[in-house]
Amino acid sequence: MVNVIGLGYIGLPTALMLASHGVEVVGVDYNKELVATLNAGKTTFKEDGLDELFQAAVAKGVKFTTEYQVTDVYIVSVPTPYDKFSKKIDPKYVVAAVKDVLKVCPKGATIVIESTVSPGTIEKFVRPVITEAGFEIGKDVHLVHAPERIIPGNMVYELLHNNRTIGADSQEVGEKIKAIYSSFCQGEIVVTDIKTAEMTKVVENTFRAVNIAFANELAKICRHDNMDVYEIIRICNMHPRVNILQPGPGVGGHCISVDPWFLVGDYPSLAKVIDESMQTNDKMPDFVLNRIYEIMKEKGLTDLSRVGLYGLTYKENVDDMRESPTLQLLESQERHLAPGLKVYDPFIAADVVPNQYHDLDAFLADVDFVVIMVKHNEIKENMNKLLGKVVLDCHNICKNPGVYHI
Ligand code: SAJ
């Protein structure tokens, strides 16, 4: 039986995928409300294919509880925040989960850390906890790092098809855990050592963050001299060895906007390009706010309360708002002491910010200027409703006449 610890954005789909492929799974989370929701037959976030996967896993007997189980494999999938000041990883949730596992696990159990951690975290923070508790690693307890790689918005497909990395102290333990993931994973699974696995995961997200920062910098250069950044990137990407990502209103989520800071925090004098890139991405919401003021001036608009931000989530077609560029922009706007922009997102049912709407038509009726912060399918299908309004399109998806870009 596999005990999946942490039933959030990664732990839940992983538990469901294992269970629906015939692995006996008990999912554990300390959040009683979350466990009760799952036990009532409901999923806890929106994701394509998740509800169907949930039903399949329930049919195969997946269980959810707040109690750690006595079993031989534990998969830990808990958050790994970073300290905003030092930029270093805060491993407290991983460490707490490992300590709790040690209270119940039998001799010979394997603890798999799925949470993203900076290189050296397992050596520095996890191994000491295990040895201090009197366990011998490699004999009483085995340690594995199997970082997840799935992208919100396409998680179910990517769980099935992505290649994976497994870091272990020995090939034998690595192969044992590989066999469990192979129950559903159709991609290649590489077995390597733990520190290499830690580094590859952080490097993958850093590569994407730096590439996006490059695109954002190009957008600023092109804005300065009135060039079309999208056309320039499109043409450059026709070169066989160039693949530039897209500029946007900022970088959100709990991965690309967080993981690269681990490298800056641990290697401040070495990670220069990464540091600059992260700062470039972090400044994009402010850049958008300045574009809003610039366009208002050009159009003779003076009332900021007639300006609406479309989208609150960190990216399209998900309901996750962590580190969202829109929230960053609103914070920045507060600092400028400007009165309330209007906000709407079809994926956010709760009231989370002032002047928030829950209906597209009602939102559009109250604004003259729309800023497309997130490219949800809903707005792509309703571009005609933006005709006659001033539009700042941060994703180059609106083909209406007179649209502004970042
Ligand atoms: N973004 C841009 N321009 C782009 C692409 C993205 O501005 O061209 C922005 C998005 O709007 C969003 C942010 O970047 O705000 C991050 O979105 P994303 O879709 O690039 O990535 P995440 O954070 O949803 O998922 C990433 C993925 N990592 C890589 O592709 C290397 C995913 O595979 C990881 O599993 C995930 O991080 C994770 O959990 O680490």
Side-chain angles (χ1 to χ4, degrees):
M1 185 245 285
V2 175
N3 204 181
V4 178
I5 319 284
L7 298 173
Y9 286 101
I10 302 300
L12 180 64
T14 304
L16 301 179
M17 194 54 94
L18 283 165
S20 65
H21 284 78
V23 178
E24 190 187 349
V25 176
V26 178
V28 176
D29 202 292
Y30 72 83
N31 181 340
K32 288 187 187 133
E33 222 173 281
L34 183 143
V35 169
T37 305
L38 295 171
N39 281 329
K42 285 184 239 149
T43 48
T44 40
F45 62 94
K46 287 185 199 144
E47 175 68 34
D48 259 3
L50 189 68
D51 287 341
E52 293 79 357
L53 186 63
F54 184 78
Q55 295 310 331
V58 168
K60 290 280 179 91
V62 67
K63 292 191 174 59
F64 307 107
T65 171
T66 53
E67 304 290 322
Y68 283 62
Q69 306 291 299
V70 178
T71 188
D72 58 343
V73 177
Y74 297 85
I75 296 180
V76 175
S77 189
V78 294
T80 41
Y82 76 101
D83 181 275
K84 290 230 156 99
F85 182 68
S86 71
K87 311 290 189 205
K88 287 178 186 285
I89 192 169
D90 179 353
K92 66 178 175 225
Y93 298 115
V94 172
V95 167
V98 169
K99 280 185 178 166
D100 285 340
V101 167
L102 294 176
K103 288 180 195 154
V104 296
C105 72
K107 201 172 166 157
T110 304
I111 306 176
V112 182
I113 312 286
E114 263 224 26
S115 312
T116 302
V117 292
S118 57
T121 297
I122 292 183
E123 184 70 40
K124 225 182 303 168
F125 298 101
V126 179
R127 287 189 200 277
V129 164
I130 298 175
T131 43
E132 277 157 25
F135 292 82
E136 191 180 329
I137 298 170
K139 202 166 144 219
D140 304 326
V141 161
H142 302 288
L143 259 183
V144 167
H145 181 43
E148 57 81 18
R149 274 177 163 171
I150 54 178
I151 195 146
N154 198 23
M155 284 179 160
V156 176
Y157 176 88
E158 292 209 350
L159 260 177
L160 287 169
H161 298 280
N162 283 4
N163 302 322
R164 297 193 72 111
T165 316
I166 289 184
D169 290 335
S170 75
Q171 190 70 22
E172 191 193 341
V173 173
E175 292 296 332
K176 181 179 141 194
I177 297 306
K178 177 175 170 176
I180 292 174
Y181 283 105
S182 299
S183 64
F184 65 83
C185 175
Q186 297 166 28
E188 189 182 334
I189 303 182
V190 177
V191 177
T192 182
D193 63 88
I194 289 179
K195 197 164 183 180
T196 302
E198 290 176 321
M199 185 65 173
T200 52
K201 168 66 204 222
V202 174
V203 168
E204 288 159 13
N205 279 351
T206 303
F207 171 78
R208 196 161 168 83
V210 171
N211 195 334
I212 295 169
F214 179 59
N216 284 333
E217 190 162 290
L218 291 180
K220 288 184 184 172
I221 293 171
C222 291
R223 168 66 34 227
H224 186 75
D225 259 346
N226 209 18
M227 294 180 271
D228 181 346
V229 69
Y230 300 104
E231 181 64 352
I232 288 161
I233 291 178
R234 189 183 74 80
I235 295 169
C236 290
N237 283 351
M238 290 167 77
H239 185 290
R241 281 172 297 284
V242 175
N243 188 10
I244 308 166
L245 288 167
Q246 295 298 307
V251 171
H254 200 60
C255 313
I256 309 271
S257 68
V258 173
D259 302 350
W261 283 125
F262 298 161
L263 295 176
V264 178
D266 285 345
Y267 308 98
S269 62
L270 302 174
K272 294 294 183 201
V273 171
I274 303 169
D275 190 0
E276 274 293 327
S277 301
M278 294 302 278
Q279 291 191 45
T280 298
N281 290 339
D282 280 356
K283 284 180 194 143
M284 286 313 287
D286 251 342
F287 181 74
V288 174
L289 188 58
N290 284 329
R291 276 296 281 151
I292 294 173
Y293 292 141
E294 217 172 73
I295 294 164
M296 284 179 75
K297 201 167 164 203
E298 189 183 318
K299 286 285 181 186
L301 300 171
T302 48
D303 186 359
L304 209 61
S305 72
R306 297 289 299 173
V307 179
L309 304 179
Y310 178 89
L312 258 169
T313 60
Y314 86 90
K315 70 172 186 181
E316 68 278 12
N317 306 322
V318 300
D319 62 2
D320 187 343
M321 287 186 300
R322 288 177 298 175
E323 322 288 332
S324 130
T326 303
L327 292 177
Q328 291 176 44
L329 189 151
L330 289 171
E331 266 175 38
S332 175
Q333 182 218 350
E334 267 174 30
R335 282 198 304 273
H336 287 87
L337 297 174
L341 291 159
K342 300 214 158 56
V343 187
Y344 161 74
D345 192 306
F347 282 83
I348 306 300
D351 273 319
V352 290
V353 291
N355 310 313
Q356 189 186 340
Y357 287 68
H358 297 283
D359 177 79
L360 178 62
D361 293 330
F363 166 72
L364 293 178
D366 283 357
V367 298
D368 306 314
F369 179 176
V370 178
V371 184
I372 303 177
M373 294 293 289
V374 185
K375 50 180 175 176
H376 289 310
N377 288 346
E378 184 205 49
I379 194 68
K380 287 187 186 167
E381 289 155 10
N382 282 289
M383 285 306 178
N384 58 328
K385 293 186 176 173
L386 300 183
L387 286 166
K389 297 203 184 289
V390 177
V391 176
L392 169 57
D393 175 5
C394 300
H395 294 283
N396 195 30
I397 53 168
C398 182
K399 301 296 167 220
N400 295 356
V403 169
Y404 289 90
H405 297 100
I406 51 174

